[in-house]
Amino acid sequence: MWSAFNKYVYSLVLLFMATAHFNLLGLFYFLLFIFHTFAYYAFRTTDFPIDYLLDSRRRLNINIRTLFAYLYILVSTLAFVGIITLKIMLYLSGQDSNPLDNRTDTDNEETTWLNFFALMIPDFDSIFTLLTAFVSFFMAVVLLQTLKKENQEAVQMQFTAA
Amino acid sequence: MPLVNRQKNLLKKAEHFVKDYNFKQEVLLALQFCLLAILSAATRTLTNTPYQLIMLSQGLVLTLGSMSTFKRFSVYLNRILVILLVVDLVTMYVILIFNLPEDGRKVKDYAFEVFGFIQNPTSYTIFGLKILLFALECQRMSFAAPMADLKFKACLQEQVN
């Protein structure tokens, strides 16, 4: 059941992450969305019925999906850790609010490094961003576990067939 | 006797799979046609011209050639469309996140004209349509091969003959 719907779920999650954050972090998620669509929609990994009738099965080598899973976990981990680090940096800098927030005049020389990193995720201060980053990280871990399980099952099936 | 029954069952199944493959191929092609038509009609910006050209060429081939020629031709168009959509979507996303059209408006003359001509600032609908088209094109890739190009197992062909 899960394997039938998981590509649609991940499409929605990645698209949501890309459009909920219209910034450089969102761009990374958008690139992941394009990669995911290509890996999961353009190729099939499960045996499609017609493949049994063909000389050479039009199946995708599994590597492209594994590559996607590792890229996804890399981006989501960096985003999650980055947001937490930025929050800690904000706390340590003694500022009350996000330096990129135009409503407050908090731009001073001491916090230029914070401004530089915050350019990546301008809305890092909000709970919503932290929550979405956590959800994305969780989904990436689930995807990697699912992929590992599928690979193990495939190996077991090959072993049984042999 | 059981062997004959088994062969009959196999043939029935094979026939069903081939029909299913053909059906999916045609439905996806029809959907692509619809989406391309909507996309072509939705805006008059420069970035939409390739889609209009693709739509036009598909229409021409469908009118002048046979269905099998059209299917074979649409395989090449499918690959071109996927590449075009990847480039277009990433460019669109970058334009949207950096608000380039708005910047172009602030600066008079050149920038406004360039950004206004290339990209409509309020084109989230087009963005969504292009994402849908990209997903559809990727899905079409797995059903893109025309039946004539597929090489079936020799034993099955013998049974069919």
Side-chain angles (χ1 to χ4, degrees), chain A residues 96-107:
Chain A
D96 296 331
S97 59
N98 184 350
L100 288 185
D101 192 346
N102 296 327
R103 290 166 298 181
T104 54
D105 185 23
T106 52
D107 195 20

Side-chain angles (χ1 to χ4, degrees), chain B residues 4-125:
Chain B
V4 175
N5 280 340
R6 206 176 151 220
Q7 280 178 341
K8 275 184 181 174
N9 281 337
L10 258 173
L11 273 175
K12 269 186 185 174
K13 273 185 184 174
E15 199 182 343
H16 173 73
F17 294 153
V18 169
K19 273 184 183 172
D20 184 59
Y21 186 89
N22 265 331
F23 174 74
K24 282 181 178 163
Q25 202 176 39
E26 277 166 22
V27 165
L28 289 171
L29 199 61
L31 275 173
Q32 184 236 30
F33 228 110
C34 290
L35 267 177
L36 264 181
I38 295 168
L39 202 62
S40 304
T43 58
R44 285 166 292 176
T45 51
L46 191 66
T47 44
N48 265 23
T49 314
Y51 302 102
Q52 286 160 351
L53 286 175
I54 286 170
M55 173 88 187
L56 185 73
S57 59
Q58 268 192 333
L60 277 174
V61 172
L62 190 62
T63 317
L64 301 172
S66 62
M67 194 63 187
S68 60
T69 320
F70 174 66
K71 276 185 179 175
R72 215 171 285 262
F73 179 66
S74 70
V75 174
Y76 296 109
L77 280 186
N78 172 248
R79 284 164 200 168
I80 296 170
L81 257 174
V82 168
I83 296 165
L84 185 72
L85 279 164
V86 169
V87 176
D88 196 13
L89 281 171
V90 174
T91 316
M92 236 177 153
Y93 193 86
V94 171
I95 286 175
L96 285 171
I97 62 171
F98 288 113
N99 291 323
L100 290 181
E102 277 76 5
D103 291 346
R105 264 186 186 163
K106 284 172 196 165
V107 184
K108 279 183 183 175
D109 305 328
Y110 185 73
F112 170 66
E113 280 174 23
V114 168
F115 287 121
F117 191 45
I118 289 176
Q119 205 70 57
N120 190 347
T122 53
S123 55
Y124 289 99
T125 320

Side-chain angles (χ1 to χ4, degrees), chain A residues 4-15 32-45 60 64-65, chain B residues 28 78 82 131-144:
Chain A
F5 287 103
N6 83 358
K7 70 174 181 182
Y8 303 112
V9 171
Y10 280 98
S11 285
L12 285 175
V13 167
L14 288 169
L15 202 58
L32 276 176
F33 167 75
I34 286 174
F35 192 59
H36 170 267
T37 311
F38 192 71
Y40 277 79
Y41 289 74
F43 300 99
R44 41 181 188 261
T45 50
L60 166 77
I64 194 166
R65 290 191 181 179
Chain B
L28 289 171
N78 172 248
V82 168
I131 284 176
L132 266 179
L133 185 64
F134 177 65
L136 188 80
E137 283 304 311
C138 283
Q139 186 76 71
R140 267 193 66 215
M141 274 180 106
S142 57
F143 297 100

